[in-house]
Amino acid sequence: MATGNHFPETFFYGVEQRHELIYLAEEAKGYTKLSNVTFIYANITQVNFKEFDHFYFYNSFHENIDPENQIDDNIELSESLYNYYNQYPCAALNKKPSETRLVTFHSFEQEIPPGFKLADISCNGLMKMWIKT
């Protein structure tokens, strides 16, 4: 929502697999009156990457392997699930055309295919900007 506020001519979509977090996000969006932000209730493997131009990942799947920092107990702890969830966007991003942009924050970079080159780093190395060559 913060980015949507700063870039009102651009559309932003957030994906979340918990109903209650979608509800809370929609509630917060109601206060902001942002018409360029949409929340999608889905698992990442249900997202059609062909429908989107550029991507942002915020430590998306880490909760599958970190029992101390789970949002709740609704998500299964599983390294194989973590690897699977990282492989899905990696394969989908690999099919995207040149000049596709990707921003990662707190990422182990497992979701980044080899065709993406690092373009910039910010936030003490936590945020990285990538462009597909």
Side-chain angles (χ1 to χ4, degrees):
M1 285 188 289
T3 308
N5 186 52
H6 287 287
F7 298 97
E9 301 300 317
T10 304
F11 292 93
F12 296 90
Y13 300 85
V15 177
E16 173 56 52
Q17 62 181 344
R18 295 176 183 89
H19 277 291
E20 58 275 7
L21 293 184
I22 290 288
Y23 173 79
L24 292 171
E26 288 290 350
E27 190 172 303
K29 178 184 158 186
Y31 290 109
T32 66
K33 309 267 191 273
L34 292 171
S35 60
N36 62 332
V37 175
T38 301
F39 299 102
I40 301 167
Y41 171 67
N43 180 289
I44 192 67
T45 62
Q46 299 167 315
V47 174
N48 182 355
F49 277 58
K50 293 177 184 176
E51 296 179 10
F52 304 97
D53 299 319
H54 306 290
F55 304 87
Y56 171 75
F57 290 111
Y58 174 80
N59 193 15
S60 304
F61 316 111
H62 193 256
E63 69 176 324
N64 290 103
I65 58 171
D66 186 0
E68 295 178 20
N69 292 302
Q70 287 183 281
I71 294 172
D72 57 31
D73 59 0
N74 294 331
I75 301 300
E76 179 184 349
L77 288 172
S78 163
E79 190 167 336
S80 63
L81 208 64
Y82 171 80
N83 292 331
Y84 174 70
Y85 286 151
N86 275 296
Q87 290 168 2
Y88 182 84
C90 185
L93 289 168
N94 197 40
K95 296 175 186 173
K96 296 303 290 182
S98 295
E99 302 302 314
T100 297
R101 267 66 168 175
L102 169 65
V103 176
T104 59
F105 193 74
H106 276 278
S107 171
F108 293 133
E109 302 178 16
Q110 293 171 315
E111 70 278 4
I112 303 167
F116 280 78
K117 301 300 176 207
L118 187 61
D120 202 358
I121 299 175
S122 183
C123 300
N124 296 319
L126 295 175
M127 180 177 282
K128 296 181 180 176
M129 281 101 356
W130 309 82
I131 299 176
K132 186 169 184 184
T133 55

